[in-house]
Structures are given as structure tokens and as C-alpha cells.
Amino acid sequence: MRKIVLIIALLCFIAASLQISAASYDNNSFQRKSREYSALATSAYEEGDYDMAVEYAREAEKNAQLSEDYIRKMLLRAEAETEMNRARTRLTWAREIKADVNYAEAFSAAADNVDKGSRAFNNEDYESAKNYAALALECLAGISEDGTGEAVAVEPSSDGKIPLPSRYKVGNWNSNRDCFWNIAGNEAVYGDSFKWKKLYNANKDLLPDPSNPDLILPDTVLEIPSLGDEYREGLYDPAVDYGSVNDR
């Protein structure tokens, strides 16, 4: 009776593990082995060979656990890869705006963390790779870009937060969908598309046809008037987390 109870308990555990695994990641060799042993355990149980049923069930349980461990590792790997790519992209951007010259210390620290993260990733230490990527991004968080494409420092405001941007460089419509309506809706600008006229009125003299707010050219640098007393400084950088103007 104890063997029967043990077999049933093991098979229930395995079934639950397999369902979790299937929902989390594609099938893997451990998962397939676990299913094979689970089927063998069920067959042996039905034939009354309880000793073999227990042995098969334990093998199925072991492989189910290995499958879960593998899935967790692969999910962590995917997260680390995403963060490392973000850090590398940010580092490349910083080099392009000459942050390696104008903010050499911050750039060097970021590059060092990206290098350490790459080595950790190659050694399958994905948790460390994520941490190094975060450190690299943190090193470059205080650097922005002015209207000429040069790196400038972004100093925290009195509340310790990165200041909201005071300027916005218009991107291409096909890739950025930049227009007064969408720009005003950006959380770092006004967080409210219905405030587009405030943005338009402050910048209409920059338009080819000041009477046509729909005709806004890429690379135009717009001034962002404050809504109230919120502090603004620097060019908008899509890689920076400004938070929301509504929280200022």
C-alpha cells in the first residue's frame, strides 16, 4: 500500500512539473525523458510491477526537476541577453556622441561593466551578466545629447530625479510617429496629447508653414515649455527613464 501511495504521489508531482515546464518553455531533453519514464511508471503500475513503477517514477521525477532547472536557466539567459544588448546599444550611442572623450570616466566605467557582463554571460553566469548590464546603464544614465549631437551631463533636480527634458528632437514619422499630438502625449513631455497646442504655439516659427501644425520636419529641435514649475533641462533621450511629468 505504501508503494502504491508513493507511486501515485510521484506521478502527481511529475504531471504538475511537466505542465509548468510546457507553459514556460519549449520541450527539452529532460522533459521528454521525464514523460517517457512517467509513461513507463504508469504502465508498470497498471501491470502490478510496483517496484519498477517506483523506480521509473523516481527517474521521471529527477528529470522533471532537471527540466525545471533548465527552463529557469534559459529564461534567465534570455533576460540577461536582453539587458546586455541594451547596455551595448547604449554604449555605442555614447561613443557616437563622444561621451568617451567628454565624459571619459563614466564611459570607461560603463565599458568595463559591459566587458565584465559579456564574460559572465559567456560563462553562463546570467545573473551577474544582468547586474553588470544594469551597472553599465546606470553609468551612462547621467549623459544626454544636446541639439548638436554632443554629449552633455544630466544633473538630478532638487528632488533627486533626472530632470524632465526641455527640448525634443523630432524623428522620422515612419519609425517614430512624431507629431505634436504624439510628442505631447509622451510622459516626459506633457503626458497628455490634448496639450499639443502648447507645444505647437511655442515652436510654430520653426515649421516650414507656421500655420500648418501637421508639417513638422525630422531633426527639428522643439522647445518644451513647462506646464507649471516642473524643472526641465537637456534634450529628450528615449533611453532615459524620466518618469512622468504628472509625478513632478
Side-chain angles (χ1 to χ4, degrees), residues 119-137:
R119 280 180 285 162
F121 187 90
N122 291 336
N123 291 328
E124 299 187 359
D125 184 357
Y126 302 128
E127 190 65 48
S128 292
K130 279 180 58 180
N131 292 336
Y132 282 126
L135 288 172
L137 290 168

Side-chain angles (χ1 to χ4, degrees), residues 21-201:
S21 299
S24 306
Y25 209 76
D26 291 337
N27 286 343
N28 56 72
S29 59
F30 301 117
Q31 206 174 58
R32 289 191 293 271
K33 283 183 180 179
S34 184
R35 286 197 178 102
E36 290 170 5
Y37 280 119
S38 181
L40 289 171
T42 300
S43 179
Y45 174 78
E46 290 173 350
E47 293 172 2
D49 190 348
Y50 299 132
D51 289 334
M52 287 306 299
V54 169
E55 185 175 338
Y56 287 138
R58 282 175 174 159
E59 284 297 316
E61 178 189 16
K62 181 177 74 175
N63 280 279
Q65 186 60 59
L66 289 172
S67 175
E68 286 193 33
D69 294 342
Y70 171 80
I71 290 165
R72 289 192 188 97
K73 182 179 180 180
M74 290 300 99
L75 291 174
L76 183 58
R77 182 186 189 280
E79 291 174 8
E81 186 173 33
T82 297
E83 292 307 304
M84 284 299 302
N85 285 338
R86 283 186 62 217
R88 292 190 188 101
T89 299
R90 185 71 171 164
L91 189 68
T92 299
W93 165 84
R95 186 181 289 109
E96 289 173 350
I97 64 170
K98 300 180 181 178
D100 55 333
V101 175
N102 297 326
Y103 297 92
E105 186 175 347
F107 183 89
S108 178
D112 183 55
N113 281 308
V114 167
D115 183 59
K116 288 177 179 177
S118 296
R119 280 180 285 162
F121 187 90
N122 291 336
N123 291 328
E124 299 187 359
D125 184 357
Y126 302 128
E127 190 65 48
S128 292
K130 279 180 58 180
N131 292 336
Y132 282 126
L135 288 172
L137 290 168
E138 185 178 332
C139 290
L140 299 174
I143 298 173
S144 187
E145 178 184 354
D146 66 12
T148 67
E150 291 287 322
V152 294
V154 178
E155 298 296 333
S157 57
S158 58
D159 59 5
K161 297 179 180 178
I162 295 293
L164 295 167
S166 61
R167 300 186 305 284
Y168 187 100
K169 189 174 183 179
V170 179
N172 184 282
W173 169 256
N174 291 331
S175 56
N176 296 75
R177 289 295 190 264
D178 275 349
C179 61
F180 284 113
W181 175 272
N182 289 337
I183 295 170
N186 187 307
E187 289 296 326
V189 181
Y190 295 146
D192 184 353
S193 294
F194 287 98
K195 290 185 171 65
W196 70 270
K197 284 187 178 179
K198 184 176 184 67
L199 199 61
Y200 162 64
N201 288 330

